[in-house]
Amino acid sequence: MKIHEYQAKAILARYGVTTPRGEVAFSKEEALQAAQRLKSNICVVKAQIHAGGRGKGGGVKLARSAEEAADIAGQILGMKLVTPQTGPAGRIVKRLLIEEGLDIKRELYLGLLVDRASGRVVFMASAAGGMEIEEVAKKDPSAILRETIHPAVGLEPYQARKIAFGLGLPLEVVNYATPFLEALYRAFTDTDASLLEINPCVLTGDGKLVALDAKMTFDDNALFRHKELRELRDLDEEDPLEVEASKYSLNYIKLDGNVGCMVNGAGLAMATMD
């Protein structure tokens, strides 16, 4: 199950991860009020859909006043946002995140995911933040740092420091980075997430690490333990047929074509489809 950026940031904030001040808005009027409350010289208006690459599609824009933020909100709300991850069908924008602007000195990439090969959680990091990590991995695999985490001990302080130094962070920031990275790991494991991605994580002019973006995906099989997470589900962002199937506890994945496969196991499903 995927959630929106503003929902992921709210979860991370509870674990002590620094995030920008921001509010969700569902209308132009709410966007105006949110921007006024922020009292920031620059506001960022961000479309909230379950897909990356929103900036390239015109879904992330800067505003220098509350009135300009409201005007931009009126343009983005209701638009069909097409990004490399949505495909040509795109997604209709129904909610926005109105957020304070920051003094960005550097952009980094941080990610946690389950590595199927090792059967463990892997912490990935790169100094090439703000870029699609797939492109970074393709062009320069050595630019991505990887730390495999033992499930019995969790992310150890030396691993966090190794990541911080590997990213080339200033010495005075490394001590602050260690609890920041440890908090990300706790958020990942406590919520039974399958993916946690901060792209970018920024180093601000005053030497702070801030999660400027946040993407979280949870293991559906563990949601029975997290009633509060189930309530974050946005059915508008899911395929209607998959939503209907979930009502009957069916695992249904919509694909292209006109032939369907009914099977009783993931391996058999892939073999049958092939």
Side-chain angles (χ1 to χ4, degrees):
M1 185 188 83
K2 297 179 180 179
I3 60 174
H4 290 290
E5 173 192 356
Y6 75 93
Q7 295 168 326
K9 285 179 174 175
I11 292 172
L12 295 179
R14 293 201 292 268
Y15 284 86
V17 176
T18 306
T19 61
R21 294 181 301 119
E23 296 182 28
V24 65
F26 295 87
S27 67
K28 182 177 178 179
E29 292 72 24
E30 289 183 5
L32 174 64
Q33 295 167 8
Q36 289 173 337
R37 284 191 290 267
L38 285 175
K39 296 179 180 178
S40 176
N41 292 330
I42 295 179
C43 289
V44 188
V45 182
K46 308 175 81 172
Q48 298 296 284
I49 61 171
H50 290 175
R54 293 166 295 166
K56 296 179 181 178
V60 178
K61 293 186 177 180
L62 298 179
R64 287 168 173 77
S65 68
E67 290 72 23
E68 187 180 0
D71 290 339
I72 293 172
Q75 298 167 18
I76 297 179
L77 281 170
M79 74 178 286
K80 184 173 80 169
L81 184 55
V82 178
T83 79
Q85 293 187 16
T86 64
R91 297 276 174 80
I92 303 298
V93 180
K94 297 184 178 182
R95 58 186 83 185
L96 303 169
L97 174 59
I98 312 300
E99 203 167 64
E100 66 174 336
L102 298 177
D103 176 19
I104 300 173
K105 190 175 179 181
R106 284 185 60 194
E107 294 188 354
L108 311 167
Y109 171 90
L110 298 173
L112 286 147
L113 53 85
V114 178
D115 178 30
R116 304 295 178 185
S118 63
R120 295 182 178 181
V121 175
V122 172
F123 207 128
M124 299 172 60
S126 175
M131 298 174 58
E132 294 181 17
I133 197 64
E134 296 85 0
E135 290 299 316
V136 177
K138 186 189 301 182
K139 295 178 181 177
D140 185 11
S142 63
I144 301 177
L145 309 172
R146 292 178 174 84
E147 281 295 316
T148 302
I149 304 170
H150 195 289
V153 295
L155 179 67
E156 298 194 76
Y158 85 88
Q159 290 180 300
R161 289 193 297 271
K162 185 177 177 183
I163 292 172
F165 280 116
L167 291 171
L169 294 176
L171 187 59
E172 62 272 16
V173 179
V174 170
N175 290 334
Y176 171 73
T178 299
F180 184 93
L181 298 175
E182 290 173 335
L184 287 177
Y185 176 72
R186 287 196 304 274
F188 180 87
T189 55
D190 287 358
T191 59
D192 288 305
S194 56
L195 173 71
L196 168 54
E197 194 173 55
I198 311 297
N199 189 24
C201 173
V202 299
L203 177 64
T204 61
D206 56 358
K208 291 183 179 179
L209 287 177
V210 181
L212 192 62
D213 195 3
K215 179 180 179 181
M216 291 188 79
T217 304
F218 305 103
D219 186 343
D220 292 349
N221 295 309
L223 287 177
F224 71 94
R225 287 199 287 256
H226 304 284
K227 182 181 178 181
E228 75 286 357
L229 295 180
R230 293 203 306 269
E231 295 173 353
L232 300 179
R233 186 180 180 191
D234 184 358
L235 299 182
D236 289 336
E237 289 292 316
E238 299 181 26
D239 185 278
L241 287 176
E242 294 183 7
V243 173
E244 183 66 18
S246 69
K247 296 178 182 178
Y248 303 95
S249 299
L250 295 173
N251 292 319
Y252 174 79
I253 306 297
K254 180 170 172 53
L255 301 173
D256 294 332
N258 55 11
V259 176
C261 301
M262 183 180 292
V263 293
N264 63 353
L268 181 59
M270 290 187 289
T272 304
M273 185 173 69
D274 289 344

